[in-house]
């Protein structure tokens, strides 16, 4: 069982968006996956309830506010699943993020490809280094999100990324209306018509995450 937290100190970097879409893609490829909503904003829970006729395909569990409650919720949500994805609030000081990162094997860190966003990413990287590991090594994966169409990552951004000890996912996620549309409809981009580019990049990111997870297993 692998716990993957989606975290970053900065708000609005795409933590919930990537988590919901990757969760649906994992479900589509037959993985037993669940989501834990550790963000008091409750965005993931609202997203999953947006369409009462067709519920989101992945079960989603609420988490409490204290470290103790989050840790307990993670323990019970992980039963019977291969992967538990934990949506964190935009904070590294909050108890929810600390509790989630403490028990995570992997932390996915969505970043907008701009220097201010990358500077803000140092907070989560420091937190990961500061928290004791639960036994095996905790890994990080940076994911460039909201990359403008036809723009390669700039040289300045790539230079800043080299400062981090974590790899950058080869798959960059584009800035696309399909992501907001999926949230509004309570589904993932995989369920949308005319969202081929978004589907392809979410599937590629999911495969990449799985190969990192499988490759890091002792
Ligand atoms: N790749 C993308 N293309 C277009 N819009 C995006 C993309 N990723 C996220 N968004 C939009 O950006 C906004 C913030 O995304 P999201 O809620 O996933 O960020 P977050 O990091 O979870 O925010 P918070 O820190 O508040 O929890 C949302 O309106 C979402 O639809
Ligand atoms: Mg969020």
């Amino acid at each position: 069982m692998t716990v993957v937290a989606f975290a970053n100190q900065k708000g609005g970097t795409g933590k919930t968006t990537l988590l919901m879409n990757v969760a649906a893609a994992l479900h589509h490829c037959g993985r037993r996956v669940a989501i834990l909503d550790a963000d008091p904003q409750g965005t993931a829970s609202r997203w999953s309830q947006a369409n009462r006729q067709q519920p989101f395909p992945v079960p989603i569990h609420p988490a409490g506010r204290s470290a103790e409650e989050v840790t307990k919720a993670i323990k019970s949500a992980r039963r019977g699943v291969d992967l538990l994805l934990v949506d964190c609030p935009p904070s590294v000081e909050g108890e929810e993020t600390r509790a989630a990162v403490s028990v995570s094997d992997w932390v996915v860190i969505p970043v907008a490809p701009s220097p201010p966003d990358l500077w803000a990413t140092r907070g989560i990287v420091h937190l990961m280094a500061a928290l004791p590991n639960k036994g095996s090594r905790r890994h990080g994966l940076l994911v460039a999100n909201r990359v403008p169409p036809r723009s390669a990552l700039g040289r300045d951004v790539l230079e800043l990324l080299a400062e981090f000890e974590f790899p950058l996912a080869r798959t960059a996620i584009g800035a696309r209306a399909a992501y907001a549309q999926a949230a509004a409809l309570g589904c993932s981009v995989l369920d949308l018509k005319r969202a081929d580019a978004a589907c392809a990049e979410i599937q590629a990111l999911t495969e990449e995450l799985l190969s990192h997870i499988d490759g890091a297993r002792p």
Side-chain angles (χ1 to χ4, degrees), residues 10-18 39 41 43 87-90 145-146 173-177 179-180 183:
K10 199 161 170 27
T13 58
K15 297 177 284 296
T16 309
T17 300
L18 296 192
D39 182 356
Q41 297 177 101
T43 315
D87 194 26
C88 294
N145 185 33
R146 302 187 87 149
I173 303 296
R176 303 180 198 282
Y179 291 105

Side-chain angles (χ1 to χ4, degrees), residues 44-45 78:
S45 303
R78 59 193 290 164

